[in-house]
Amino acid sequence: MTTEEQVRKSLDEVLVPGAMRSISGLNLIREVTVSDRKVKISLASAALTDSTQEWIKNKVKEALEKLPEVNEVETEFTEVKPAELNKIDHIIAVMSGKGGVGKSLVASLTAIALKRKGYEVGILDADITGSSIPKMFGINNRPTGSDSGILPVLSRSGISVMSINLLLPNEEDAVIWRGPLIGRAITQFWEDVLWGKLDYLIVDLPPGTADAPLTVMQTLPISGVIIVFTPQDLVEMIVKKAVNMARKMDKSVLGVVENMSYLYVPEIDKKIELFGTSRGEEMAQTAQAPLLGQFPIDPALAKLCDEGNIERYDAEIVNSFAEALSKLTLFKKE
């Protein structure tokens, strides 16, 4: 007799159009009943149009009729909000005390490093007025969905992404909103987007400690924070601002990352510290958290970001960063 386990395994093959993830990965399967050669499937309809539901229904039928002793397949959809379906193990916020330090770059490389480790990863771009994540990943597709929710867009390597730039008519359009509207948009990206099952959701915070970062800290169940800085004279004050905000919001600082730490010149085999002496270890002590990485100024990385090919970046620094993350208790597979 066909078992429920066999049914669920077969349903892994059914992908949701637009999201390109399985109905299992999006946590749409509510109930599976097997009896007398008949299989009854209950699926959530969140973010699915009527035509998408019909398409999935046919694909479910095709997949399950391949199983032995299955003569009849019945599929029904029930209304469930995305927030009730999302099952995210850990949410990591990437923040900085000021703009221009490469926070979005570090958020992207964090997601890429974890994806290469075999995790299911998503990026919530909370930098509403300065969105750059879609550009770096080369994502131009608009999110699909329905009145009941939105489906994030999948990157080439399989990272789920949601950003305000994906909803604008043109990516160059300015988002001229006051704080409450920005906060509402961030909340909707959390509550109304169908993220499904993820090991990690990386949140790219806007710079500073004002309305938008506060909304994220108060609304999302943040597991921990990664703080980004550059080796400049004001760095200690900037890092302390970010650390103090995280602690006041009762969020742990997982580690710090120094970006633009140096420029490596291969012709002379030398690292040049363009912005001053590295203060990575010092800032790690200030934050009372490990130094997770020191990213160089790399023209090759800048070129890939401009081309929308950041996922192709394969420098040793990414592997070292992934190893540093894996040493944190939060990032270890259970």
Side-chain angles (χ1 to χ4, degrees), residues 71-84:
N71 295 336
E72 185 179 351
V73 177
E74 180 183 336
T75 304
E76 66 176 10
F77 288 88
T78 59
E79 292 186 13
V80 184
K81 295 180 179 179
E84 298 175 43

Side-chain angles (χ1 to χ4, degrees), residues 4-5 49 57 64 77 86 97 113 125 133 136 180 183-184 228 245 247 254 257 267-268 279 295 298 313-314 321 332:
E4 180 179 333
E5 183 180 357
T49 62
K57 186 175 181 179
L64 298 185
F77 288 88
N86 292 335
D125 186 357
I133 297 291
M136 289 191 287
R184 180 56 186 157
V228 184
M245 179 182 186
R247 288 179 178 162
L254 300 175
V257 173
E267 289 79 5
I268 58 175
R279 301 182 65 185
F295 292 170
D298 189 344
Y313 190 58
D314 198 27
F321 183 46
K332 291 180 180 177

Side-chain angles (χ1 to χ4, degrees), residues 9 12 21 63 86 113 116 126 136 144 181 187 251-252 254 304:
K9 187 174 181 180
D12 287 339
R21 291 181 64 199
N86 292 335
R116 290 177 182 175
M136 289 191 287
T144 59
L181 277 178
T187 301
K251 308 299 180 184
S252 63
L254 300 175
L304 288 172

